[in-house]
Amino acid sequence: MEGEAQVAASAAARQRSGLTALYLGIFAALWLSVPETDPQLGPFLVAGSIVALLTAGAGGALVIRSRADGPFPRDTVADRKYLVIFAAELAAAGFGAMLLAVTHRGEYIPVLAAFVVGVHFWPLAPVLTDPALKVLAVLVCLAALAGLIAGLVSSVMPGEVVGAGVGVLLLGYALGALLRAGMALCRSHS
């Protein structure tokens, strides 16, 4: 009986990691496509986007494979909390983007979006039982701050800094999720 519980827990952990890699891989690819940079940085952003999409694909495959081990237990309370956080994120980003557009500060929309995304990871950490999301929250907010500063004190567009920074952070986290899933898979087979 104890062995079955360990297998189920391992499958659930792999599925959570797969979902993390899937979602953050997709969003990393989106963020990496935000910057309109000089041609020197372009190939790196394209390569990063490709790696992000491959990571998302690997995460999706992991989710499908882990479902073969049994159904993933649903937590309806956590699901509701997630939806409330997500709705608040969309509302804040949408309203803020509208204000920036109306005030002719549209170049700072990526900064605002990154800040809102960073902030939303903080309350998601306990909901998704992933405390490392708090670290990601701080790093994404710092990337937003770097974009804001770059936009205010230089000719660099804030979206260049924010898009590349947030894209790399999300890709790194997604790759870390795949690594954790791989380690869980190895432990379950040993």
Side-chain angles (χ1 to χ4, degrees), residues 9-71:
S10 178
R14 285 193 314 273
Q15 190 167 31
R16 277 192 303 274
S17 293
L19 286 170
T20 297
L22 173 65
Y23 294 145
L24 293 186
I26 291 169
F27 285 112
L30 291 173
W31 276 101
L32 289 168
S33 68
V34 166
E36 293 180 20
T37 61
D38 59 68
Q40 294 173 343
L41 192 55
F44 295 108
L45 295 174
V46 170
S49 293
I50 291 168
V51 171
L53 291 173
L54 290 172
T55 301
L62 188 62
V63 169
I64 291 168
R65 181 173 181 207
S66 65
R67 286 187 184 211
D69 295 334

Side-chain angles (χ1 to χ4, degrees), residues 63-133:
V63 169
I64 291 168
R65 181 173 181 207
S66 65
R67 286 187 184 211
D69 295 334
F72 186 64
R74 299 295 304 200
D75 181 349
T76 55
V77 173
D79 288 349
R80 273 189 240 118
K81 288 179 183 178
Y82 177 86
L83 288 174
V84 167
I85 293 166
F86 183 66
E89 172 193 21
L90 288 178
F95 182 71
M98 184 182 66
L99 284 178
L100 287 171
V102 167
T103 59
H104 306 290
R105 291 300 201 175
E107 70 272 16
Y108 291 101
I109 291 173
V111 172
L112 171 74
F115 179 75
V116 171
V117 167
V119 168
H120 108 286
F121 283 128
W122 196 272
L124 277 182
V127 171
L128 299 176
T129 61
D130 187 354
L133 282 174

